[in-house]
Amino acid sequence: MPTYAQLQAESWWGREIITPELDWLGDELCRRTKRPRGAFGAKGDNNHLRGAHRSQEWILKSRYCTSRTYTVQSGLTAVQQRHIAGVDFTPGSAGQMVAQCKRLYAALRAGHLEEVREFYGNVDGDKVVDGWDNVRNRAASSDSSHLWHWHLTLDRRSCADRRVMERILTIALGDPTEEDVDDATIDKIATRTKTKVMADTGIQQLLARVQQLTVNQAALLDAVGQDTTDEKAIVDGVLAGLGQRDMDSVAAALKTAFGDRATELAAKLGTPAS
């Protein structure tokens, strides 16, 4: 992990921009929920070496970046490439966390937040991170920190759009004139997602093999024999689900992590016992 001195020695670190609109979203989320301002985060610390909490300019040019592709978009202006696009918010209670995540998750699935590219959080209070990849329209997962804070990856073209921030705020905190998202609605969405995921033969093969592995991240990654830089977080989420939640949810996370490589990886892990 680089030190702050090393990061700051590169010009790209100091050129990153948190837009006034994104900063306003943080102010309002914290003010309206009576949370300390530190409950909202945008610019990542020296652990964040990839992704939305870094500017695209930093991702493409910093020597310390660990993925030159994750959250990178085409067609951005020079200024938009300097925008931080990650939103983290830690609610004040488990109940508030679940309620806010339910609203955001349902809104993305319904097409009401097309300016958001990713969501991670916890919609049901269990021990598995729930998420949605809004670019590929499929289930996603991430590391266990998202069990107590929710994350949004914004389209970098929308980071200076006040109307988008207002819509995120209204959805996350709930419009008092509208009914909240109930558990039945979330269950229906999850069921449709799982049905599509389990139709993939490669994922079924990989899932069968993963079920037989020790619930240990290092063992799985060693067996697969890959560079874990870009997949560690998603694998954390997958393995956290083993023994904690139904295997359809684990399959959804595997599909997100490995996609078309599922059959290949299942073969590397060996043939499941009959």
Side-chain angles (χ1 to χ4, degrees):
M1 180 195 309
T3 65
Y4 282 106
Q6 289 174 315
L7 293 171
Q8 292 164 0
E10 295 183 325
S11 62
W12 322 118
W13 177 269
R15 285 170 54 82
E16 291 185 313
I17 296 172
I18 299 175
T19 64
E21 293 79 7
L22 186 59
D23 204 41
W24 175 88
L25 175 61
D27 288 343
E28 287 301 296
L29 277 170
C30 295
R31 182 182 70 82
R32 297 192 191 189
T33 59
K34 296 180 170 57
R35 297 288 291 144
R37 189 57 174 80
F40 178 89
K43 178 160 178 161
D45 60 15
N46 62 331
N47 289 291
H48 291 83
L49 302 178
R50 59 194 285 270
H53 293 293
R54 296 268 67 85
S55 70
Q56 184 158 311
E57 181 182 70
W58 189 94
I59 290 170
L60 296 176
K61 297 182 178 181
S62 173
R63 64 180 293 190
Y64 301 109
C65 183
T66 58
S67 173
R68 302 289 186 193
T69 58
Y70 183 45
T71 73
V72 169
Q73 300 176 239
S74 61
L76 300 184
T77 67
V79 173
Q80 288 169 342
Q81 290 191 48
R82 295 171 61 191
H83 289 170
I84 296 288
V87 172
D88 282 350
F89 183 64
T90 305
S93 69
Q96 291 173 8
M97 173 71 176
V98 169
Q100 291 170 22
C101 287
K102 280 184 177 181
R103 297 184 194 111
L104 289 165
Y105 181 79
L108 262 73
R109 289 299 314 271
H112 298 321
L113 278 175
E114 292 301 294
E115 300 86 356
V116 174
R117 295 170 65 87
E118 289 179 316
F119 159 78
Y120 298 117
N122 192 349
V123 303
D124 47 18
D126 65 4
K127 296 181 180 180
V128 179
V129 172
D130 304 292
W132 187 252
D133 181 334
N134 212 28
V135 176
R136 299 172 181 83
N137 289 316
R138 65 189 189 187
S141 189
S142 189
D143 67 87
S144 60
S145 69
H146 298 93
L147 294 175
W148 56 85
H149 84 265
W150 52 260
H151 168 88
L152 301 178
T153 294
L154 302 180
D155 187 313
R156 295 185 189 273
R157 296 167 298 184
S158 298
C159 293
D161 191 329
R162 174 65 173 263
R163 292 170 299 178
V164 172
M165 306 305 165
E166 291 172 348
R167 193 165 358 114
I168 291 171
L169 181 68
T170 298
I171 290 169
L173 301 187
D175 186 336
T177 65
E178 297 180 358
E179 292 186 10
D180 205 351
V181 180
D182 59 19
D183 291 337
T185 300
I186 294 296
D187 288 342
K188 288 179 181 177
I189 291 173
T191 298
R192 288 197 298 269
T193 301
K194 291 173 188 176
T195 300
K196 291 178 64 177
V197 167
M198 291 306 291
D200 188 306
T201 302
I203 290 297
Q204 292 183 27
Q205 293 173 346
L206 182 56
L207 175 61
R209 192 66 192 103
V210 170
Q211 283 181 280
Q212 297 180 14
L213 295 175
T214 303
V215 184
N216 178 285
Q217 176 179 309
L220 174 60
L221 295 176
D222 286 346
V224 174
Q226 306 186 61
D227 177 359
T228 65
T229 301
D230 292 336
E231 294 174 345
K232 179 178 182 300
I234 188 71
V235 171
D236 282 341
V238 171
L239 293 177
L242 293 173
Q244 301 291 340
R245 195 172 183 180
D246 62 81
M247 295 307 294
D248 285 352
S249 298
V250 179
L254 285 170
K255 185 173 179 62
T256 301
F258 302 119
D260 295 337
R261 299 185 60 229
T263 302
E264 169 198 344
L265 294 170
K268 283 186 178 182
L269 290 170
T271 304
S274 57

